[in-house]
Amino acid sequence: NKQWKTKLLSEILEEEKAQFFLFRPIYSFSILAIIIFGSIFFIFTEVKKASPSQFLYSLKRFLEDSYLVFTPEKEKSKLMLIQTNERLNELEDIIKRNETEKIPIAIGEFQKKAKTAAKNIKNLKEIDKEIISNTKKIEKNKKNIENILGVKIESEELESAKKKIIETLINDLEERTLTENQKEVLEQAKEDFKKGNSEEALTKILSLINLIK
């Protein structure tokens, strides 16, 4: 009876051992997959947070440029403006962390992206609400950062593109049938534009476009 129990226990252990080695490759593959996907997710997260002069920043820029290649032509300007605003967000983060030595590098990155975006905007045949909204965000962020730094961040190409956007929109609105109140708002936008207050001009123009459409 004791021998029988020992034999039965031995058979059970052998069977469990066989099952363990049978499923071991599956377990190993699952663990390996978790490690790989976890590593990719970690790297992707770190790349998104990367700022100028950091090791992963070149990869971040490469991924952005690659994404642009596969973006439809009519959507490229919007994406470029979003990326330009991202450069300002990076600059703001650097200022908050008091990494003063990185500020000139971050400003340079903003100016490069702004120049590329501006060239693309100048070739646009139509300017939609997203272009206006993203341009307004850039103007607002840029002004806030300039107030913090106490210096003006030069970007001639972007300023030129912004003027083109505002002038095109004003000309378009002047051709439309507007109510007296809407005409008054348009005149205020034109006055803001003349004074160099692009953010306020864009806000009023966007509100008019939303009302008309």
Side-chain angles (χ1 to χ4, degrees):
N1 189 28
K2 189 175 181 182
Q3 288 179 345
W4 178 81
K5 286 181 179 179
T6 305
K7 185 179 179 182
L8 180 62
L9 181 61
S10 177
E11 288 176 354
I12 291 169
L13 289 172
E14 285 296 324
E15 187 177 344
E16 287 182 350
K17 188 177 179 181
Q19 288 179 347
F20 172 76
F21 284 106
L22 178 65
F23 290 104
R24 189 175 180 181
I26 298 173
Y27 293 142
S28 300
F29 177 77
S30 300
I31 292 168
L32 183 62
I34 290 169
I35 292 170
I36 290 170
F37 285 113
S39 300
I40 291 170
F41 178 77
F42 174 76
I43 291 170
F44 183 73
T45 303
E46 290 302 306
V47 166
K48 283 189 76 175
K49 293 190 297 183
S51 61
S53 81
Q54 289 185 335
F55 174 70
L56 290 172
Y57 191 73
S58 296
L59 179 57
K60 179 179 182 177
R61 289 292 308 275
F62 172 77
L63 291 173
E64 284 183 352
D65 293 341
S66 301
Y67 190 57
L68 268 175
V69 172
F70 297 102
T71 302
E73 201 61 39
K74 63 179 182 179
E75 299 295 321
K76 278 187 179 179
S77 294
K78 298 173 190 176
L79 182 56
M80 284 181 180
L81 288 172
I82 290 170
Q83 291 176 351
T84 301
N85 202 42
E86 175 62 20
R87 299 290 86 84
L88 286 174
N89 291 336
E90 291 166 359
L91 175 56
E92 189 175 16
D93 288 341
I94 284 170
I95 294 167
K96 285 178 181 177
R97 294 196 299 267
N98 202 30
E99 297 174 341
T100 52
E101 73 283 358
K102 294 181 182 179
I103 290 175
I105 301 170
I107 290 174
E109 290 294 338
F110 161 73
Q111 289 171 328
K112 279 193 287 185
K113 181 58 72 174
K115 185 176 182 179
T116 307
K119 283 181 180 177
N120 197 273
I121 289 169
K122 285 183 178 181
N123 295 325
L124 286 178
K125 293 179 181 178
E126 291 183 14
I127 297 169
D128 62 21
K129 288 191 286 186
E130 282 188 71
I131 295 288
I132 304 167
S133 179
N134 288 330
T135 303
K136 184 185 162 193
K137 284 178 186 175
I138 291 170
E139 180 69 14
K140 184 178 180 180
N141 284 356
K142 183 170 171 285
K143 193 174 285 185
N144 287 340
I145 291 170
E146 286 174 340
N147 288 337
I148 294 169
L149 292 176
V151 294
K152 186 173 177 59
I153 301 171
E154 297 296 334
S155 178
E156 291 180 16
E157 293 85 2
L158 188 62
E159 287 298 315
S160 177
K162 185 175 63 183
K163 285 178 181 177
K164 184 205 168 185
I165 290 172
I166 296 173
E167 286 168 356
T168 302
L169 293 169
I170 287 173
N171 292 337
D172 179 61
L173 287 168
E174 285 179 331
E175 296 296 319
R176 295 172 181 260
T177 303
L178 304 175
T179 65
E180 289 304 314
N181 285 339
Q182 289 169 348
K183 286 178 182 176
E184 188 177 335
V185 173
L186 179 57
E187 287 303 316
Q188 290 172 0
K190 288 163 71 174
E191 193 62 31
D192 286 331
F193 181 49
K194 285 178 184 176
K195 291 178 180 178
N197 196 342
S198 301
E199 187 186 342
E200 281 299 318
L202 285 167
T203 300
K204 291 180 174 69
I205 288 168
L206 190 57
S207 68
L208 279 174
I209 291 171
N210 287 332
L211 284 172
I212 294 167
K213 292 183 178 181

